[in-house]
Amino acid sequence: MAKNLLIIGGTAGIGRELAAEYASRRASVVIAGRDAARAEKVAHELSGVAGGGQVRGIAVDLSAPVGIAQALSGIETVDAVVLAGMKRDANTVTDYNIAGATELAVTKVVGYTEVVHALGSRISRTGSVLLFGGFAKDVPYPGSTTVTTVNAAVAGLVTTLAAELAPVRVNSVHPGAVGDSPYWAGKTEILEGARQRTLTGVLPTMRDIVGGCVFLLENPAVTGVNLNIDAGRR
């Protein structure tokens, strides 16, 4: 099991749930977000888990990749790197917002890659890297022009990083609509529509996504995989 993890995007949502899971397994976890104070606050909350491992928080801004190496300078050897950080962007070709599109593209393509580059040999050769994409890569929706494009790019990034970084394993997870995610709170009509388009009739939960993440991080025979967790979306 991974004993030392870096989770960028670990201050909220699924990233936080994954950090809590590994803290409960007594791993040493560094969580990162854009705001140092928030990252430290969440780390303190997660460290309060009875019998849990050490959690500390740092600031890393994926949308400003030039500063990533310095932000990660205090990280020592890690067994696993999770890149869950993102920026929401609602964009269409008709009403194209260049600034929003640029920030998201830089965050998930350049930012993700720069984290791996900056850590270099500090990633254990028996370790793994996990990237977060999303179901929009296959199923566009109104306003998903940039999101669809960038999540498809994440799938391509997995292919090249898995080859270049071997024997370090590289995978990605692509969640569908997650029923209990804070992002979807109050969007009952959208969630019900998504549920009706699943084969199981039940939307994934954050715990379901965390389970998939743990599988990708821990299974030594899995690399170069883009895992969709969407309850069999039709």
Side-chain angles (χ1 to χ4, degrees):
M1 186 193 81
K3 294 294 186 183
N4 297 285
L5 295 91
L6 169 64
I7 303 178
I8 298 181
T11 62
I14 296 168
R16 177 175 174 148
E17 289 294 310
L18 184 59
E21 173 66 26
Y22 272 96
S24 72
R25 298 179 180 216
R26 310 192 70 172
S28 176
V29 183
V30 177
I31 61 171
R34 294 189 182 195
D35 182 81
R38 174 175 170 78
E40 291 166 2
K41 178 179 181 293
V42 173
H44 177 73
E45 293 169 355
L46 294 176
S47 294
V49 178
Q54 178 186 11
V55 183
R56 65 185 180 96
I58 62 172
V60 176
D61 187 352
L62 294 171
S63 70
V66 172
I68 288 175
Q70 178 60 37
L72 297 178
S73 61
I75 300 294
E76 298 180 356
T77 301
V78 290
D79 303 312
V81 178
V82 179
L83 294 162
M86 66 169 299
K87 172 72 170 62
R88 300 286 179 185
D89 178 65
N91 231 327
T92 65
V93 174
T94 303
D95 298 306
Y96 196 55
N97 182 323
I98 294 175
T102 300
E103 186 174 12
L104 177 56
V106 169
T107 294
K108 295 193 78 168
V109 180
V110 182
Y112 279 17
T113 307
E114 173 57 15
V115 168
V116 177
H117 164 253
L119 290 172
S121 61
R122 287 178 285 172
I123 303 174
S124 168
R125 287 178 60 80
T126 58
S128 62
V129 176
L130 177 63
L131 283 59
F132 268 63
F135 78 104
K137 72 178 175 64
D138 299 315
V139 186
Y141 54 84
S144 77
T145 297
T146 311
V147 175
T148 293
T149 303
V150 170
N151 285 342
V154 167
L157 193 55
V158 165
T159 302
T160 186
L161 290 182
E164 187 171 352
L165 298 180
V168 175
R169 298 180 298 104
V170 182
N171 300 291
S172 70
V173 60
H174 297 270
V178 180
D180 60 348
S181 167
Y183 174 73
W184 294 102
K187 300 176 182 177
T188 307
E189 185 175 342
I190 295 174
L191 287 175
E192 177 57 20
R195 186 196 66 78
Q196 291 178 8
R197 290 189 293 272
T198 66
L199 294 177
T200 66
V202 180
L203 289 174
T205 65
M206 290 199 290
R207 294 301 306 166
D208 295 330
I209 309 304
V210 166
C213 292
V214 172
F215 163 71
L216 293 172
L217 288 168
E218 300 294 343
N219 192 307
V222 177
T223 192
V225 169
N226 286 285
L227 179 63
N228 292 344
I229 304 181
D230 56 9
R233 183 182 174 91
R234 293 180 291 180

